[in-house]
Amino acid sequence: MGICNKDNSSLGHKPIPLETANELSKSICKITINNNGGEKFGTGFFMIYEPLKLLITNYHIISRELINNDIELEIASIKMILHLDYSSRYIQFFEKPIDITVIEIKDSDPIPKEIKFLSYDKNCLDGNYSQYVNLDLICSGCPFGQKLSFQSGIINKINNFEFEIGRAS
């Protein structure tokens, strides 16, 4: 779920400290799905929204059609299989306009203890996203199934669920 500027070029705002990258890498996973003989790749992240533990990714990566399938998650070179059983798991899909899938992680799932579940900013629940304009942002993802990468930038503009990211002015 990396975010980049409109032309998909590197943001390159400022270097990301190694300690920060190492800590964030415990919360972000590469997703691989074998679907009809082909592989599909994406990025997800782990988040806690009390009392739920969640895996969040894009709808175009995990859609309704993939439920009751196995997906492979890779976190810091640790691979695991998560079975998406719709009948026994909280799963929400938001196809448009925000392209998000939210999947409950159960205590019985094979998630390593080293995984860090991110918390969320409770202040953003009121929908007032303008408070985040001009703040630094670290973007991460596994583009096209590659290794986890990081970029940094500034939030220039927010329009509903779309964030315009770029370099500092």
Side-chain angles (χ1 to χ4, degrees):
M1 300 196 60
I3 301 173
C4 53
N5 47 357
K6 291 182 179 179
D7 64 0
N8 288 326
S9 63
S10 174
L11 299 173
H13 168 59
K14 60 184 174 182
I16 298 165
L18 184 58
E19 183 178 305
T20 301
N22 285 337
E23 201 59 28
L24 282 174
S25 69
K26 297 174 186 174
S27 304
I28 302 165
C29 64
K30 176 175 136 182
I31 297 172
T32 304
I33 301 167
N34 292 308
N35 192 20
N36 298 327
E39 284 190 322
K40 186 176 183 181
F41 300 102
T43 305
F45 65 93
F46 294 96
M47 184 176 134
I48 193 155
Y49 186 80
E50 292 290 345
L52 298 172
K53 292 179 181 175
L54 305 169
L55 169 63
I56 300 175
T57 189
N58 293 108
Y59 180 85
H60 70 266
I61 301 301
I62 299 179
S63 61
R64 285 179 175 84
E65 294 78 31
L66 294 174
I67 294 306
N68 296 323
N69 284 349
D70 291 337
I71 63 169
E72 180 182 289
L73 305 178
E74 183 176 345
I75 306 153
S77 301
I78 301 169
K79 290 186 181 184
M80 69 208 74
I81 301 296
L82 182 63
H83 181 71
L84 297 183
D85 183 355
Y86 191 70
S87 64
S88 65
R89 190 182 296 271
Y90 170 84
I91 302 177
Q92 291 292 309
F93 300 100
F94 303 94
E95 182 178 5
K96 294 178 183 177
I98 56 176
D99 188 27
I100 291 179
T101 296
V102 178
I103 302 165
E104 177 186 10
I105 299 298
K106 299 167 147 190
D107 290 336
S108 59
D109 287 328
I111 304 297
K113 292 179 216 166
E114 298 82 17
I115 298 308
K116 180 177 179 184
F117 285 83
L118 298 171
S119 59
Y120 64 96
D121 182 352
K122 292 176 177 73
N123 295 322
C124 76
L125 295 179
D126 63 5
N128 180 15
Y129 302 121
S130 62
Q131 63 186 320
Y132 300 105
V133 173
N134 295 321
L135 292 181
D136 290 332
L137 179 72
I138 296 176
C139 307
S140 60
C142 304
F144 309 106
Q146 298 173 6
K147 290 183 178 183
L148 181 62
S149 62
F150 296 92
Q151 298 177 353
S152 64
I154 296 287
I155 300 172
N156 291 334
K157 181 179 174 184
I158 301 173
N159 183 15
N160 291 325
F161 297 107
E162 294 182 14
F163 287 58
E164 183 180 302
I165 311 300
R167 291 187 171 96
S169 309

